[in-house]
Amino acid sequence: MTTPFLNGSKTEYASEVWPGLTLKQGERHLLLQSPAMLEAIGSPIHGGGMTRLRRIANIYVDRFYDCSSPVEDVMGWLREWRYPIDTTAGLLTAVQLRHASVQEEKNEEAAVFCCVTAGTSNAARAGSARTTYPSYRPGTINIMLMIDAKLSQAAMVNAIMTAVEAKAAALADLDVRDAENGLVATGTTSDAIILGVSQSAASPVELVYSGTATHLGAMIGRTVYDGVKEALLTAWAERS
């Protein structure tokens, strides 16, 4: 199911597949909030790694943002907005939040919710020769992926793999190119992803695989692929 979020009149969205999961527009950020604690893994600038979370904030900064102390900046903003520091992850993006895309699906095993903000000004192909930098830059394709099910830690890593593959497939199908070498891009130089899993006791079984051959992996792939495509096409349509 596709739900354009901020391009419509909505500033708050309640998930149709995961009761209590909400996405809200705040002061230059999107807040994804779960009804209960999540087991999480990902690469946000604050709250990354393997952790437990209740909220995720995708925070907009302009392209002139001083990246010298992003962790401190994110923590400062979270305090300003009165979000608990220890249970809130923070991502940074230089992409306009009004182009956010929400995708969600559900079957008898799990519910999947995905929110994507995306831009391709610094598209890049992994594995190719190109300019690299040691410092942090705000994320260009940010993926917030939520799964209401019981997953092993291996399946959580597998879910991240599937999501990244789907992102690369979307960029290939949109013919997004690495600006330095003209090759088909697999991402951008500053992407970020965070996965949150409910580990719900109501789940009938613990899922140990989430690759493309599984029902769960198929839902992950579709929601991420459609989210990346919709977010980019919406942004490009406004620009043109």
Side-chain angles (χ1 to χ4, degrees):
M1 177 170 55
T2 300
T3 306
F5 181 53
L6 297 181
N7 279 320
S9 59
K10 291 184 178 181
T11 57
E12 181 174 347
Y13 178 76
S15 171
E16 296 183 8
V17 302
W18 186 335
L21 187 73
T22 60
L23 180 68
K24 299 180 181 180
Q25 179 184 11
E27 179 187 347
R28 63 184 183 82
H29 71 282
L30 298 178
L31 181 71
L32 182 56
Q33 183 164 287
S34 167
M37 291 293 290
L38 303 166
E39 189 169 327
I41 185 171
S43 61
I45 188 63
H46 168 72
M50 196 78 187
T51 186
R52 289 179 58 79
L53 298 169
R54 182 79 183 273
R55 303 166 188 82
I56 304 166
N58 191 13
I59 305 167
Y60 172 77
V61 293
D62 65 37
R63 61 191 181 92
F64 301 109
Y65 168 68
D66 178 0
C67 299
S68 58
S69 55
V71 178
E72 290 79 4
D73 290 342
V74 169
M75 292 177 67
W77 289 319
L78 295 180
R79 290 191 182 98
E80 178 183 337
W81 299 325
R82 298 184 178 181
Y83 301 146
I85 296 295
D86 57 345
T87 57
T88 306
L91 301 90
L92 293 179
T93 180
V95 174
Q96 294 290 337
L97 298 175
R98 63 179 174 272
H99 302 312
S101 173
V102 169
Q103 313 286 329
E104 48 184 357
E105 285 194 35
K106 183 178 183 179
N107 65 14
E108 65 279 2
E109 294 179 336
V112 176
F113 179 100
C114 181
C115 177
V116 178
T117 54
T120 56
S121 59
N122 57 334
R125 182 180 180 88
S128 65
R130 65 172 349 272
T131 305
T132 58
Y133 306 91
S135 58
Y136 177 82
R137 290 292 182 271
T140 303
I141 299 178
N142 280 357
I143 298 171
M144 297 188 290
L145 179 64
M146 303 289 109
I147 300 175
D148 185 18
K150 188 181 295 182
L151 271 66
S152 68
Q153 289 191 348
M156 291 177 66
V157 175
N158 204 177
I160 294 285
M161 292 168 57
T162 301
V164 173
E165 290 173 7
K167 174 190 69 175
L171 294 178
D173 287 352
L174 290 172
D175 197 31
V176 175
R177 300 278 171 162
D178 186 314
E180 288 197 6
N181 54 42
L183 299 173
V184 174
T186 55
T188 82
T189 57
S190 53
D191 294 346
I193 185 169
I194 177 72
L195 167 68
V197 179
S198 67
Q199 302 295 18
S200 172
S203 297
V205 64
E206 181 182 62
L207 303 176
V208 296
Y209 302 109
S210 53
T212 50
T214 66
H215 298 319
L216 176 58
M219 291 196 295
I220 293 168
R222 285 190 294 267
T223 56
V224 173
Y225 177 91
D226 291 344
V228 172
K229 283 191 72 173
E230 182 178 61
L232 288 173
L233 289 172
T234 303
W236 294 346
E238 179 181 284
R239 189 174 60 194
S240 62

